[in-house]
Amino acid sequence: MERPAWAPRSIDISVPSVSRIYDYYLGGSHNFEVDREAARRAMEFMPGLPKVSQANRAFMRRAVRYAVGEGITQFLDIGSGIPTFGNVHEVAQTASPGARVVYVDHDPVAVAHSEAVLAGNADADVVAADLRKPQEILGSPQVEQLIDLEWPVALLLVAVLHFMEDADDPYAAVAEFGAALAPGSLLVLTHASYEGIPLPPERAEGAVDVYKDIRNPLVMRSRAEIERFFEGYDMVEPGLVPMPHWRPDTAPEDEDPWAFSGFAGVGRTA
């Protein structure tokens, strides 16, 4: 397999990556055949995965605009993935010039492309780090330079927590970030769930098995389990809901049924 010029030499292009699979679902071009093959296998069981990914992105953009409307101009996007049109910094800085954004991802392709996209943007940067290690992220030079934790921050965990197994204690990681945030900060979160998927769970399990096969387990949590991530936060209306129902720009009934797979919510620190 020939290595594209944009692929960092450090990565194994024969191993699928969830960031690049997500990029494929969104119609991006920064993925390899091994990623596309895994995506197609998952879509045999859940053909609406691209619609789910698009619903995640649309919610993220609405949540960023909401945060700016609430006076928040600092954004920490963890598990940010490969940059696509309408990324956090584009939405935030269009709504509020000078808004500061730090992206975090552990995929070298995502980091490399973020660096390229952000070149010349003094108010945005990227950190190569893992959600499982909050202090490495919070103590990184990029966060220390751009994010003032004495003021409210919007912490984005969009389509990332379902890639953390219970053994990784994702609740503790989210709580550790929350403890570092100033009052008035926001937690912006989406999470996959069997609830809302327009087919039987046993059918959807086939797609979950594909992610397990590529050693990136997809953990489908219940609504109640996802709500636990918001302990210590006051939920912003309308609460934890299917993605198209969170402060929609268009009528939810016009959305593709797959867009209702999983939940989205925003919480505010007291």
Side-chain angles (χ1 to χ4, degrees):
M1 184 187 305
E2 186 176 348
R3 181 182 297 272
W6 51 261
R9 302 297 306 177
S10 59
I11 68 170
D12 184 348
I13 63 175
S14 68
V15 177
S17 150
V18 294
S19 292
R20 299 193 304 267
I21 291 171
Y22 192 68
D23 177 67
Y24 174 75
Y25 291 150
L26 290 171
S29 60
H30 294 102
N31 47 76
F32 309 125
E33 180 54 33
V34 67
D35 306 306
R36 297 188 284 273
E37 205 298 3
R40 288 191 291 263
R41 282 171 49 211
M43 289 167 63
E44 289 176 10
F45 300 97
M46 293 178 61
L49 281 168
K51 291 295 184 183
V52 178
S53 302
Q54 291 163 18
N56 265 284
R57 297 289 298 184
F59 160 75
M60 177 273 289
R61 290 190 284 267
R62 296 196 304 275
V64 169
R65 290 195 295 267
Y66 170 80
V68 172
E70 294 294 297
I72 294 178
T73 57
Q74 303 187 107
F75 298 83
L76 181 58
D77 183 3
I78 303 177
S80 50
I82 295 167
T84 58
F85 176 75
N87 241 37
V88 172
H89 74 281
E90 294 173 331
V91 178
Q93 292 175 353
T94 296
S96 178
R100 289 166 288 168
V101 179
V102 176
Y103 294 112
V104 181
D105 208 286
H106 69 281
D107 185 318
V109 171
V111 173
H113 278 281
S114 296
E115 289 173 339
V117 167
L118 299 175
N121 188 330
D123 294 315
D125 209 339
V126 60
V127 180
D130 195 301
L131 170 59
R132 297 168 182 82
K133 299 178 179 179
Q135 292 309 314
E136 285 189 13
I137 294 171
L138 294 169
S140 67
Q142 296 92 329
V143 170
E144 290 186 344
Q145 179 178 349
L146 288 177
I147 305 294
D148 184 349
L149 293 173
E150 297 297 314
W151 292 89
V153 176
L155 170 65
L156 283 81
L157 300 173
V158 176
V160 63
L161 288 168
H162 47 234
F163 292 114
M164 285 185 71
E165 297 182 274
D166 289 342
D168 294 320
D169 203 352
Y171 296 104
V174 174
E176 194 168 343
F177 280 110
L181 300 179
S185 294
L186 299 177
L187 171 61
V188 177
L189 182 154
T190 67
H191 198 296
S193 176
Y194 285 124
E195 299 174 39
I197 292 178
L199 47 69
E202 55 270 21
R203 176 72 177 170
E205 283 175 7
V208 173
D209 288 341
V210 171
Y211 282 91
K212 189 181 301 180
D213 289 344
I214 66 171
R215 300 189 299 280
N216 282 285
L218 177 60
V219 183
M220 306 288 266
R221 295 187 170 94
S222 69
R223 185 181 187 281
E225 289 172 322
I226 298 167
E227 273 188 318
R228 283 185 54 201
F229 288 113
F230 288 99
E231 288 182 0
Y233 291 85
D234 295 325
M235 294 300 294
V236 170
E237 288 294 331
L240 185 65
V241 294
M243 292 174 285
H245 284 300
W246 198 91
R247 297 177 178 253
D249 294 327
T250 57
E253 54 268 26
D254 294 337
E255 292 283 351
D256 187 285
W258 281 96
F260 297 85
S261 304
F263 293 95
V266 175
R268 179 182 284 106
T269 56

